[in-house]
Each structure stands twice: as C-alpha cells, then as structure tokens.
Amino acid sequence: MRIIPLILILVLAGCTLKPVAQSTVEVADEPRVLKAEDVPERFAIAVRLMRPVVSETCKASSPDLNCDFLIAIDPNPGSAPNAFQSLNEEGQPILIFTLTLLEDMYNVDEVAFVIGHEGAHHILRHLERQDQSVRGGATLFEVLAAALGGSNRSVDAASEIGAAVSRRNYSKTFELEADRLGAQMTQKAGFDAVRGAAYFTRIPDVGNRFFGTHPRNSDRIAGVKAAVAEL
C-alpha cells in the first residue's frame, strides 16, 4: 500500500496553512463534503492540532509505549473509506486514513475526531489486547470441542468460531473505549468532538449484526457526548 507521510501533506499545504484557533475551525451549519483539493490542508490542520495532544496523552498514560505517531494518507482512489491503526517493525504507531474517507467528511471536526479515535486504539493497547482475546477464545473452544469428543476437524472449526466470537465482543468494547478517549483528546485540541462524531449519523449502522465488529451508531454518539461532559 502506498501512503503519503504527514511531512508530505504539510509540504503540500504549507503555503496556505494558517494558525487555527477553536473559534476559526470551520463552523458552517451546512453539510459540505470535502473536495479533493481541500483534503491536504484540512487534514494538515487536524493533524497539527491533534498530534501533540494524542502524543502527550500516550506518554502520560502509557510511558512504556512508543508515542511517536506517524499519521498518513492512503491516496488510492479505489480504497474504501476507512481508517486504521497499525505498528511498523520498530513499534512506531501508524495511523492511516484513506483519501476516500477524508473526502466523505463534512468538516475538520470529523477529521480530528477520527485521528483521536485511531490514536486512542494505540494508547489503550487494543491491538495487543485483541490478540490476547482471540487466542484465549480459540483455545477455550478447542478445549470444549475436544472434551466433547470432537474430531480434529471439529476442533479446528471450534477454534475458528471461538476466535471470531472473541474478536466480535472485544472489538465492540474497544471501539467504544476509543470513541470516549478520542473524543476527549479531540475536545482538548480545540475541536468539537460531538460535531465530529456526527459522522456516525451518515454511515451504515452495523451494530445489530451478530458478527458485527462495531457498536450501534447511537451508542457511539451517546458515549462521545458522555465523555465530553466529563471534561
């Protein structure tokens, strides 16, 4: 996958980028999808204000983690709207956003909120906890299948089911956790996290699917509002 590192985004937007205070972040009530030419500057503004808050939160809550976030865009126009957190070989956290996702967003608050959400996944060690959960669920189902006299094929199938169930349950919990911490970091950076979470009102609600990995959109918005109210 080809990505554009943040430094390139800043170079592209540097000639027009201006300091932005909370009162000057776009506040138009009219929904407006970002045009392709708007994305670099809008993304750079969100990154510039969010990255220090996310890094400082990471250092304060998890000092043993690598908190040097690399934030980048996947410019492939064929990629589905998506954002995700990963690690490189050195353990550096990488937050990747597809260009199609950024073009779907109405304002910089939504961009900032997603940056906070993905950064929160790293701070809360969700990749590590997810792996532990999946391994535990698979092992439990394997033991149960073997105890009931299952064949090797049945044990393998049970292992896959156990891993899938564990992945589903923990993913929903992790998403809500990341929403709450991400919302608080977004708010601290000077953005409107509730306005940013309004993106959930425009995407399909998959929370009621048995093997869905995300909570209901209404639960996510409620969690964001509660997290902001705690500040």
Side-chain angles (χ1 to χ4, degrees):
M1 177 182 66
R2 185 167 60 92
I3 61 176
I4 301 177
L6 172 59
I7 189 170
L8 294 185
I9 293 296
L10 292 177
V11 168
L12 290 173
C15 57
T16 56
L17 194 60
K18 300 180 179 66
V20 176
Q22 183 172 4
S23 60
T24 60
V25 172
E26 181 188 345
V27 293
D29 292 330
E30 289 269 334
R32 185 174 73 84
V33 177
L34 295 180
K35 298 178 182 178
E37 58 267 28
D38 295 333
V39 169
E41 180 178 6
R42 204 69 60 85
F43 185 68
I45 291 171
V47 170
R48 180 168 58 83
L49 297 179
M50 285 295 298
R51 191 175 185 273
V53 175
V54 174
S55 295
E56 288 304 314
T57 302
C58 177
K59 293 173 184 176
S61 62
S62 304
D64 59 319
L65 281 180
N66 185 327
C67 298
D68 182 21
F69 287 86
L70 172 63
I71 307 175
I73 294 176
D74 170 11
N76 183 358
S79 297
N82 195 17
F84 56 93
Q85 180 257 320
S86 186
L87 300 173
N88 64 17
E89 294 179 355
E90 289 73 38
Q92 181 182 21
I94 303 175
L95 312 183
I96 303 295
F97 302 82
T98 63
L99 183 61
T100 49
L101 173 70
L102 297 172
E103 290 174 344
D104 276 349
M105 294 185 163
Y106 282 176
N107 52 66
V108 73
D109 296 293
E110 292 183 355
V111 178
F113 174 74
V114 177
I115 290 173
H117 174 91
E118 295 303 324
H121 277 308
H122 176 69
I123 296 170
L124 297 169
R125 303 175 185 269
H126 283 166
L127 285 179
E128 177 183 339
R129 291 165 59 192
Q130 183 83 5
D131 288 343
Q132 293 172 350
S133 170
V134 169
R135 288 195 299 269
T139 300
L140 175 60
F141 272 64
E142 285 176 4
V143 171
L144 290 175
L148 294 173
S151 64
N152 289 339
R153 185 174 181 180
S154 298
V155 171
D156 290 342
S159 176
E160 292 178 5
I161 294 172
V165 170
S166 297
R167 187 179 297 111
R168 174 185 66 101
N169 289 337
Y170 272 80
S171 290
K172 290 186 175 183
T173 299
F174 291 166
E175 291 302 315
L176 291 173
E177 290 179 355
D179 284 345
R180 292 178 64 86
L181 178 57
Q184 292 182 336
M185 292 190 293
T186 301
Q187 203 73 16
K188 290 176 181 177
F191 297 98
D192 186 335
V194 175
R195 188 168 184 251
Y199 182 71
F200 294 138
T201 66
R202 306 197 307 276
I203 61 176
D205 194 338
V206 297
N208 292 324
R209 297 178 184 175
F210 179 74
F211 278 108
T213 59
H214 287 67
R216 293 181 301 178
N217 292 342
S218 59
D219 292 340
R220 302 187 72 172
I221 293 173
V224 167
K225 291 179 177 179
V228 169
E230 293 174 359
L231 295 175

